Structures are given as C-alpha cells and as structure tokens.
Amino acid sequence: MPLPPRWVRRLVLAPGVVLLAFLVVTTLPAWAFVAAAASPLVPGRLRPLRLLWIGTVYLVWDAVALIALFGLWVGSGFGLRNRAPAFQRAHYVLAGAFLRVLFWQARWTLRLSIDIVGTDPDTALPGRPELVLCRHAGPGDSFILIHALVNWFSREPRIVLKAALQWDPAIDVLLNRLPSRFIAPDPDGRGSVVEQIGHLAVGLDDNDAFVIFPEGGNFTPRRRLRAIARLRARGHERMALRAERMQHVLAPQPGGMLAALDAAPDAGVIFVAHTGLDQMLTVADVWRELPMDKRIAMRFWSVPPEEIPAGRQERIDWLYDWWGRIDDWIAANRDGDA
C-alpha cells in the first residue's frame, strides 16, 4: 500500500492514533473482560490479556509521544527551530525516555531480558563517531538497538530505515525531525538510495552513531534464497557462494556501507549481532510465543578507522567476512543456548 502524503499523515493519521488511544483506554475494562473470558480457551498463561495489554501500552505510548512532539513543535516556534541543536537534543532525550518506558513494559509484560556483551561504543573509541552495522531479524530489533545506543551508550543515532515505517505516526514525526533517511524501493536501481545514505553520513560528530542495516530487510529463509539468486543474476558468483555458507543472515548489500565510509572517513565501525527473537517473524509467531520469557543477546564488535580496508573490493570482502562472523555467533548463541 503506498504511503499517504505527509499532510494526510499529520492531519489524519496522527490525530486518529490519539483518538483511538483515548477510545481504547476509556473502554479498556470491557476489552479486559472479553480477554479474561477468552484466556482459559487458549493455551498459554493469560495470553489474550497480555496481548491486549501490550497492544494498549504501545497505542498509548504512540499517542503520548505525539502529544509531546506537538508540544516541542509549538515550543520551537511551530517548527521553525526544530533543527536547532537545543531542540535536536530535546528530541533525542524524549526518544530515550519513551524507549525506556517501552522496554520497562516489555520486560514486565513479556518477560524479556536484554544482555549486551562485547564492545561498549563509548569506551572503545571515545570521542569518535561510529558507523553501526546491524543484522535485521524479527520484530523490535531496531527499537532494541536504538534503545541501547541512546540510553546505555549516550549516542545520538542517525538512522537509515524503510519508508513504510512512517505508517507509525510517532516514528514518522520524530525521525523526520532528526537526521534520518526513510528509504523507499527504487525501481531504477539503488543509486539514489546510496547517495541519500552518503549524504546522511556527512558531518558526524563525536557522539553520533550512524545506524544502517546492510541486509535491507528482516531475515527469512525465502529472502535469503532470493538474495543469493540476485547475486548470481548480477554475475557475483563468488559472493553468492559466500552467502550460501551463511545460514542465519541475508547477504549484505555493501552500497550503503561504502557510501557511509566515504562520507565519514574518521568514523569507527561497530558490528552488531543479536538473537533471541529470530523465530518471531509474523503476528502469528508473536501470538504463539506469548508470554515470551526470552533472553535477547546482543554482541558488539568495534573496528577502529585505521583497521578498515581502503579499497572498494577489499571493503566488500571485509563486510562479507564480518557477516560470516555474525552468522557463526548467531549459530552459537541462538535461543541463548551458549
């Protein structure tokens, strides 16, 4: 479904979410009664009630965020000073606060825990910007990564993400005010996408983290096979063979990384792997797993600028080397077994 124009998203979708949240909250006792009555009929402990609660929390979270963002818009002179450093910082602080609330609820309602091992981006290369390259699998991994960067590592992320995420009004409003790029599918090739990524990476300062997902989408077995077939169709047989050896990740698309490295030559690189929600790719998967009782493990590896290869092909091979390492780590740590 095509994304509606911005004025529709601002004047229809955003107020609609606030109104819907009000209606759900005011009728919540009735919904809770229905969910409680249905709970003994489905497997899992209070599964309908848990799903109702987390859905309501997210809806109210979105609505309250929109109200707060509206307040910042008014305070900035109806958007005139949104790009001023003070208001940019205010938006990052707001994002951090709302992410803390969201993950507090996830821990309580869904029994999720997040363990981070490896490099702390603030102690590995203090005073340097970072390019953060993360695998993409399962719902919520982007939220988890941004939560970690903002609240645990005191970074200000610049994010490359799919244009379809602008269907969520709070994400739409917040990230369109911050240095981010919503990338739409490009029927004429990826040239303009790569240019946008490179432009976003210009001017990173010492507490910035440029976030990109080189796979271009969530991992599924079908997408993995399509990515391998696409490499072969373009004549990249050696890359296709390397991608076939990776079982838990998609073949990375190097264009965005190459553009970001060229635009930010002084930046270090952080590679991020995570596992724990790999099997939850659809709403049906989430329903089946409730209550989740999951341990999400995240692993950070830091590469200083002087260790990043200089040549284009060397950088592509280097990216595939790291993606193979991430694949091995996922195999060893899937479901928290290792």
Side-chain angles (χ1 to χ4, degrees), residues 75-139:
S76 68
F78 301 99
L80 291 177
R81 296 194 302 277
N82 265 340
R83 300 294 179 180
F87 281 96
Q88 290 283 286
R89 184 59 196 156
H91 282 81
Y92 280 117
V93 170
L94 180 68
F98 276 94
L99 285 169
R100 283 195 298 272
V101 170
L102 187 65
F103 280 93
W104 167 63
Q105 276 297 311
R107 285 193 296 270
W108 180 67
T109 308
L110 305 178
R111 299 210 303 258
L112 288 179
S113 63
I114 306 171
D115 295 334
I116 292 188
V117 296
T119 302
D120 177 333
D122 279 341
T123 59
L125 294 173
R128 289 189 189 274
E130 301 281 3
L131 306 182
V132 181
L133 279 64
C134 184
R135 77 167 299 215
H136 211 353

Side-chain angles (χ1 to χ4, degrees), residues 49 85 174 181 258 333:
L49 271 174
L174 175 65
R181 284 294 184 277
L258 295 172
N333 290 272

Side-chain angles (χ1 to χ4, degrees), residues 168-188:
D168 184 310
I171 293 174
D172 181 20
V173 174
L174 175 65
L175 293 188
N176 272 302
R177 293 183 189 175
L178 293 173
S180 303
R181 284 294 184 277
F182 288 96
I183 302 298
D186 184 359
D188 300 323

Side-chain angles (χ1 to χ4, degrees), residues 18 40 45 61 76 95 106 113 137 143 148 177 200 258 270 298 337:
V18 176
R45 183 170 175 268
W61 179 86
S76 68
S113 63
F143 280 108
R177 293 183 189 175
L200 181 63
L258 295 172
I270 298 285
M298 298 186 74
D337 292 333

Side-chain angles (χ1 to χ4, degrees), residues 130-134 160 190 193-199 201 204 210-216 252-265 267-271 303 308-323 326:
E130 301 281 3
L131 306 182
V132 181
L133 279 64
C134 184
V160 179
R190 298 189 57 82
V193 171
V194 170
E195 289 172 7
Q196 291 181 60
I197 293 172
H199 179 73
L204 297 178
F210 183 92
V211 180
I212 188 171
F213 299 87
E215 292 163 305
Q253 302 174 32
M257 180 203 72
L258 295 172
L261 287 173
D262 288 341
V269 173
I270 298 285
F271 289 96
V303 182
I308 299 171
R312 176 184 173 86
Q313 187 57 51
E314 289 80 3
R315 286 180 171 180
I316 294 173
D317 291 336
W318 175 73
L319 175 62
Y320 269 77
D321 289 342
W322 271 104
W323 234 245
I326 288 172

